[in-house]
């Protein structure tokens, strides 16, 4: 049996003397474990039989000892997020048995700025990298490697996983026409400065499962039929290039395979892509920042009914739904972004949200005419999901009916998350100068507003609300600020406002109120 050690806190120096060590894993200690340079050096000098060395997120804060490049038995080397600096050891690429290399997320390597391998780094992949016949996993992501992407990488016969994302590679993407026989399944080239057209060899990557080319300067016209040979493709990201994804010239073309993740933001799309009709297993769909016009077609609601988690159609010219729905069809949807569009529907569409999940609505720069969602949500049981939110993005409703946080560009509706899970205090609420004012809401303020008993600030100013101020405001016992100015409210000012003992700011000006 191989000798394996996994430490939670501290590795004594004496362990470096264990010359028969074959596998050493100190990863996952989130910088709570620190190895001195002398310790790392001794480790590499004595453990000459090492086959696996995993130091992910161990704080090395030193150059990488040159002796590591002499570990001729090494099969797997993982040094992600180790605070390395100094000259990176190119000889690591010459290790005869190496199968997996991960040097992602390091800082100050070669003495440059916080992201390792800065753009002025001299580090290039050696041309001999193509001799690494056993290498199956290579992650150099988030490092700012520079220069032209070496085509030799794509000739590695065993390579399955290649992440060169978030670097500074420039120039055309040159890939030899060998991918039809390649073992490559995961290819991540996002966030570089790659130019010109996507090479045709990409469309021959028959074993491809995930392909991410987003955030480059790639250009040209793309038809989805080009990916028809990638029958195993589950994730495709082409967003934020200079590409144009156009209607397929092949009549009645459909993608036979089912994707889970599809990113087509900023792809100059002018209509809802009809190839999506067969994509019933999508979990994420990003069509944002395109030129899609008109209403969302009926068939679109059959996409990912059981699976869709995130849908972004913001920054288009979408005007509404082709068919009004009683309930949105997506059963596990958490994020829906329709901001920067031309919707001309009432806010009643919020009541179409199923009540067993959290939904984020982007609504900035749309044309909404009503706000009546509050008294239409009728949850049945607490099925809240955890979310990572800043303090100013959260509203907590103490009575466990629902939670709503509304800003000029954001609506979140769902069940409350316990304050202790969020690390927040009772000062969180709805309303500020950036929240509900100037959104052109019309109609009456719903009586169920009074159910939001944890509100501390509410700003509905500069809208077109009319009718009476609901008497239910007396239930907002924690309210400190209330601004209903510049609306069309009439009737008497409720005496119940006098019971709000925490109220410090009240603005009811520019209405038709009596009292």
């Amino acid at each position: 049996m191989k000798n394996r050690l996994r430490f939670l806190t501290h590795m004594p120096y004496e362990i470096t003397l264990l010359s028969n060590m074959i596998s050493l894993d100190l990863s996952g200690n989130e910088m709570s474990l620190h190895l001195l340079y002398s310790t790392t050096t001794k480790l590499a000098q004595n453990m000459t039989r090492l086959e696996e060395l995993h130091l992910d997120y161990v704080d090395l804060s030193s150059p990488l000892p040159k002796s590591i490049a002499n570990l001729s038995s090494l099969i797997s080397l993982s040094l992600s997020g180790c605070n390395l600096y100094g000259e990176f050891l190119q000889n690591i690429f010459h290790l005869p048995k190496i199968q997996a290399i991960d040097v992602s997320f390091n800082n100050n390597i070669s003495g440059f700025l916080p992201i390792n391998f800065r753009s002025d780094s001299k580090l290039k992949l050696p041309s001999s990298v193509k001799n690494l016949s056993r290498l199956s996993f290579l992650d150099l992501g988030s490092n700012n490697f520079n220069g032209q992407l070496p085509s030799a990488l794509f000739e590695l016969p065993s390579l399955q996983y290649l992440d060169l994302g978030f670097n500074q590679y420039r120039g055309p993407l040159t890939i030899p026409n060998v991918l039809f026989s390649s073992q490559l399944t995961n290819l991540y080239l996002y966030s570089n400065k790659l130019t010109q057209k996507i090479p045709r060899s990409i469309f021959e990557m028959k074993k491809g499962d995930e392909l991410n080319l987003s955030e480059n300067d790639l250009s040209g016209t793309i038809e989805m039929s080009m990916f028809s040979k990638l029958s195993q493709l589950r994730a495709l990201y082409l967003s934020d290039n200079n590409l144009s994804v156009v209607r397929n010239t092949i009549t009645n073309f459909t993608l036979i395979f089912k994707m889970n993740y599809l990113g087509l933001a900023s792809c100059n799309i002018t209509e809802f892509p009809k190839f999506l009709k067969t994509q019933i297993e999508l979990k994420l769909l990003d069509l944002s920042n395109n030129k899609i016009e008109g209403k969302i077609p009926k068939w679109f609601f059959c996409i990912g009914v059981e699976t869709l988690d995130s849908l972004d159609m913001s920054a288009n010219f979408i005007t509404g739904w082709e068919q009004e729905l009683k309930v949105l069809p997506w059963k596990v949807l958490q994020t829906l972004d329709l901001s920067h569009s031309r919707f001309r529907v009432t806010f009643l569409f919020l009541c179409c949200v199923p009540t067993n999940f959290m939904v984020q609505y982007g609504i900035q720069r749309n044309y909404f005419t009503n706000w009546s969602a509050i008294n239409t949500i009728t949850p049945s049981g607490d099925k809240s999901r955890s979310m990572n939110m800043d303090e100013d993005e959260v509203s907590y409703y103490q009575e466990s009916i629902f939670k709503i946080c509304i800003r000029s560009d954001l609506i979140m509706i769902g069940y409350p998350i316990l304050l202790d899970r969020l690390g927040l205090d009772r000062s969180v609420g709805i309303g500020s100068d950036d929240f509900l004012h100037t959104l052109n809401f019309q109609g009456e303020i719903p009586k169920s507003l009074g159910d939001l008993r944890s509100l501390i600030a509410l700003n509905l100013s500069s809208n077109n609300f009319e009718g009476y101020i609901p008497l239910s405001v007396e239930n907002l016992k924690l309210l400190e600020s209330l601004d209903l100015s510049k609306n069309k409210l009439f009737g008497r000012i409720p005496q119940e406002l006098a019971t709000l003992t925490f109220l410090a700011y009240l603005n009811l000006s520019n209405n038709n109120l009596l009292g």
Side-chain angles (χ1 to χ4, degrees):
M1 177 180 287
K2 292 184 178 181
N3 297 314
R4 294 180 179 273
L5 288 176
R6 184 176 181 87
F7 289 88
L8 297 179
T9 54
H10 169 70
M11 187 186 79
Y13 174 82
E14 290 75 13
I15 290 181
T16 65
L17 304 178
L18 297 176
S19 58
N20 290 323
M21 187 69 65
I22 293 176
S23 178
L24 179 62
D25 186 351
L26 307 179
S27 60
N29 286 289
E30 301 300 329
M31 293 299 175
S32 63
L33 178 63
H34 175 71
L35 291 185
L36 297 174
Y37 180 76
S38 59
T39 302
T40 311
T41 301
K42 201 68 173 177
L43 179 155
Q45 290 174 345
N46 291 334
M47 296 183 180
T48 56
R49 299 180 60 189
L50 268 180
E51 297 178 3
E52 298 176 350
L53 179 59
H54 296 169
L55 304 179
D56 298 330
Y57 297 97
V58 172
D59 183 14
L60 299 182
S61 294
S62 68
L64 195 60
K66 293 182 179 180
S67 51
I68 285 184
N70 297 325
L71 295 174
S72 58
S73 297
L74 203 60
I75 295 174
S76 178
L77 177 64
S78 194
L79 305 171
S80 179
C82 292
N83 283 338
L84 293 171
Y85 63 83
E87 186 73 20
F88 184 79
L89 303 177
Q90 295 188 26
N91 286 339
I92 286 176
F93 295 109
H94 296 274
L95 292 171
K97 296 183 179 180
I98 197 70
Q99 296 180 18
I101 300 174
D102 184 352
V103 293
S104 59
F105 296 103
N106 277 285
N107 297 320
N108 302 318
I109 199 162
S110 295
F112 296 110
L113 296 175
I115 301 177
N116 64 341
F117 309 136
R118 299 300 303 176
S119 58
D120 49 350
S121 171
K122 297 180 180 180
L123 179 62
K124 304 285 193 305
L125 289 174
S127 58
S128 59
V129 71
K130 63 182 178 182
N131 297 322
L132 296 173
S133 60
R134 301 184 182 185
L135 189 67
S136 62
F137 183 100
L138 179 59
D139 189 349
L140 308 180
S142 301
N143 286 313
N144 282 326
F145 281 50
N146 71 333
Q148 188 168 346
L149 193 63
S151 61
L153 278 173
F154 301 98
E155 299 182 62
L156 298 179
S158 301
L159 192 63
Q160 298 178 22
Y161 183 104
L162 176 59
D163 188 347
L164 302 178
F166 217 105
N167 281 285
Q168 295 292 330
Y169 286 112
R170 300 172 180 269
L173 178 57
T174 304
I175 300 179
N177 193 26
V178 296
L179 290 188
F180 68 94
S181 60
S182 172
Q183 302 299 311
L184 198 62
T185 61
N186 297 68
L187 178 58
Y188 307 100
L189 303 178
Y190 60 92
S191 298
N192 280 284
K193 298 180 180 179
L194 302 174
T195 59
Q196 299 186 21
K197 294 183 178 181
I198 297 176
R200 289 189 173 274
S201 51
I202 284 283
F203 308 117
E204 302 290 336
M205 198 172 74
K206 292 185 178 181
K207 293 188 177 181
D209 180 72
E210 294 192 22
L211 174 61
N212 193 335
L213 304 177
S214 60
E215 298 181 26
N216 281 286
D217 294 317
L218 298 170
S219 58
T221 299
I222 296 294
E223 296 182 18
M224 292 304 295
S225 58
M226 294 177 175
F227 295 95
S228 59
K229 293 182 181 180
L230 281 63
S231 59
Q232 300 180 43
L233 193 63
R234 295 295 176 265
L236 174 63
Y237 299 93
L238 301 177
S239 300
D240 300 313
N241 282 283
N242 293 314
L243 298 169
S244 294
V245 175
V246 299
R247 180 187 299 181
N248 292 287
T249 55
I250 301 176
T251 306
N252 297 324
F253 167 77
T254 57
L255 284 179
I256 299 176
F257 57 87
K258 306 295 189 293
M259 284 184 286
N260 300 134
Y261 304 91
L262 181 58
L264 296 177
S266 302
C267 285
N268 294 303
I269 300 172
T270 58
E271 63 180 9
F272 283 95
K274 292 185 179 179
F275 74 87
L276 290 174
K277 289 183 178 182
T278 61
Q279 299 305 303
I280 59 176
E281 298 178 10
L282 277 175
K283 297 180 181 180
L284 178 147
L285 177 59
D286 188 354
L287 297 174
S288 63
N289 200 31
N290 280 292
K291 302 174 183 178
I292 301 174
E293 297 183 356
K295 295 183 177 181
I296 301 174
K298 296 178 183 179
W299 60 259
F300 193 83
F301 300 112
C302 297
I303 297 172
V305 172
E306 302 286 342
T307 57
L308 195 62
D309 174 86
S310 177
L311 175 58
D312 190 346
M313 296 187 288
S314 61
N316 279 285
F317 303 103
I318 302 171
T319 56
W321 319 100
E322 188 174 270
Q323 179 182 6
E324 292 294 333
L325 301 174
K326 293 183 179 180
V327 62
L328 292 179
W330 302 294
K331 297 181 180 179
V332 295
L333 190 69
Q334 293 194 60
T335 303
L336 172 61
D337 193 342
L338 302 173
S339 61
H340 298 273
S341 292
R342 295 182 177 180
F343 265 80
R344 293 185 179 274
V345 296
T346 70
F347 241 176
L348 284 170
F349 83 90
L350 291 179
C351 71
C352 298
V353 180
T355 57
N356 62 340
F357 55 85
M358 186 77 65
V359 180
Q360 170 181 306
Y361 285 89
I363 63 168
Q364 188 176 20
R365 296 184 184 177
N366 280 293
Y367 301 92
F368 295 105
T369 59
N370 202 347
W371 184 47
S372 54
I374 287 183
N375 58 0
T376 62
I377 307 282
T378 55
S380 55
D382 186 355
K383 299 180 181 179
S384 61
R385 296 174 181 265
S386 62
M387 294 185 67
N388 295 319
M389 292 179 283
D390 295 331
E391 180 170 332
D392 65 345
E393 293 179 324
V394 180
S395 164
Y396 177 68
Y397 178 44
Q398 188 179 13
E399 300 301 319
S400 298
I401 293 180
F402 65 97
K403 177 173 64 64
I404 178 169
C405 174
I406 302 182
R407 296 168 56 174
S408 61
D409 61 345
L410 178 66
I411 291 183
M412 293 181 183
I413 288 184
Y415 289 96
I417 302 173
L418 295 178
L419 289 179
D420 57 353
R421 291 178 62 187
L422 291 172
L424 302 174
D425 56 30
R426 293 288 298 278
S427 67
V428 180
I430 301 176
S432 79
D433 289 341
D434 294 327
F435 277 34
L436 292 176
H437 75 304
T438 65
L439 285 178
N440 290 320
F441 289 130
Q442 298 178 4
E444 296 183 355
I445 299 174
K447 296 178 181 178
S448 53
L449 181 69
D451 293 331
L452 301 176
R453 299 173 187 268
S454 290
L455 278 180
I456 62 170
L458 178 62
N459 187 345
L460 301 178
S461 64
S462 300
N463 283 287
N464 288 301
F465 285 114
E466 56 188 6
Y468 299 96
I469 298 175
L471 301 182
S472 58
V473 295
E474 68 175 334
N475 297 326
L476 308 180
K477 300 300 184 183
L478 301 180
L479 200 64
E480 298 175 7
S481 175
L482 176 61
D483 190 347
L484 303 180
S485 63
K486 299 179 182 179
N487 281 287
K488 299 177 181 179
L489 301 172
F490 54 80
R492 70 178 184 87
I493 298 175
Q495 296 181 353
E496 288 76 7
L497 290 176
T499 66
L500 305 180
T501 57
F502 287 98
L503 194 62
Y505 177 87
L506 177 63
N507 190 347
L508 304 178
S509 63
N510 294 293
N511 283 287
N512 297 306
L513 296 168
L514 303 173

